[in-house]
Amino acid sequence: MDRTEKREFIAQLSAVFADTSFVLVAQNKGLTVADVSDLRRRMRGAGATYKVAKNRLATLALDGTRFQGVKPLLRGPTALAWSKDPVAVAKTAVEFAKGNDKFVILGGALGEQTLTPDGVRALSELPSLETLRAQLLGLIQTPATRIAGVLQAPGSQLARVFSAFAKKDEAA
């Protein structure tokens, strides 16, 4: 890379850090091309991005962002993953790390909060953003369903009472 390419890369990475809510740092020492391709495919499927970046360039891109806490993690062969949905990145990385010993999660940052590898694992156990939205929608709809049931109950009870009187009158 020449200087202009480096400057462009740093600017692009800084823009990504300004727009995202979560950054994961992992060690990718010894991963084969097939493994990295598989990981990138999984990350894309989860709506995340996985990129191997030079530590010096990544450190420069982190300057002035809320993710400065991950700078100490940028030692040796590292890769970065990010997404607007922090749970998606964490789940994908933890699942991949379970099946591949050469992929080691070093930590991450959720906003200004720096996470340890255990923190990333804990984040991966949370429900995804879409699941949370569905649960919230279900909670919102439940009271409306109950209100409709309560409002219908007196009407149906009256109908049963009138029906019982009508059958009683027919029988008599």
Side-chain angles (χ1 to χ4, degrees), residues 90-122:
K91 278 187 182 193
T92 305
V94 168
E95 285 176 17
F96 187 79
K98 285 178 185 175
N100 196 323
D101 296 339
K102 294 178 182 175
F103 183 76
V104 179
I105 297 171
L106 299 175
L110 183 60
E112 293 182 7
Q113 178 69 37
T114 304
L115 301 175
T116 63
D118 291 332
V120 173
R121 282 186 198 86

Side-chain angles (χ1 to χ4, degrees), residues 13-95:
L13 208 51
S14 293
V16 165
F17 292 149
D19 190 40
T20 190
S21 63
F22 177 72
V23 174
L24 175 99
V25 180
Q27 190 175 43
N28 59 350
K29 187 176 186 178
L31 288 178
T32 64
V33 173
D35 291 338
V36 173
S37 297
D38 181 41
L39 179 58
R40 283 193 172 129
R41 183 181 42 75
R42 289 183 189 189
M43 288 282 186
R44 260 192 314 273
T49 305
Y50 174 83
K51 188 149 191 99
V52 176
K54 289 188 174 190
N55 292 336
R56 176 74 180 135
L57 298 179
T59 302
L60 290 172
L62 286 168
D63 284 338
T65 67
R66 59 184 175 213
F67 302 113
Q68 291 182 5
V70 298
K71 282 183 181 181
L73 302 176
L74 297 173
R75 302 273 185 263
T78 56
L80 303 170
W82 62 83
S83 175
K84 291 184 180 181
D85 181 9
V87 177
V89 176
K91 278 187 182 193
T92 305
V94 168
E95 285 176 17

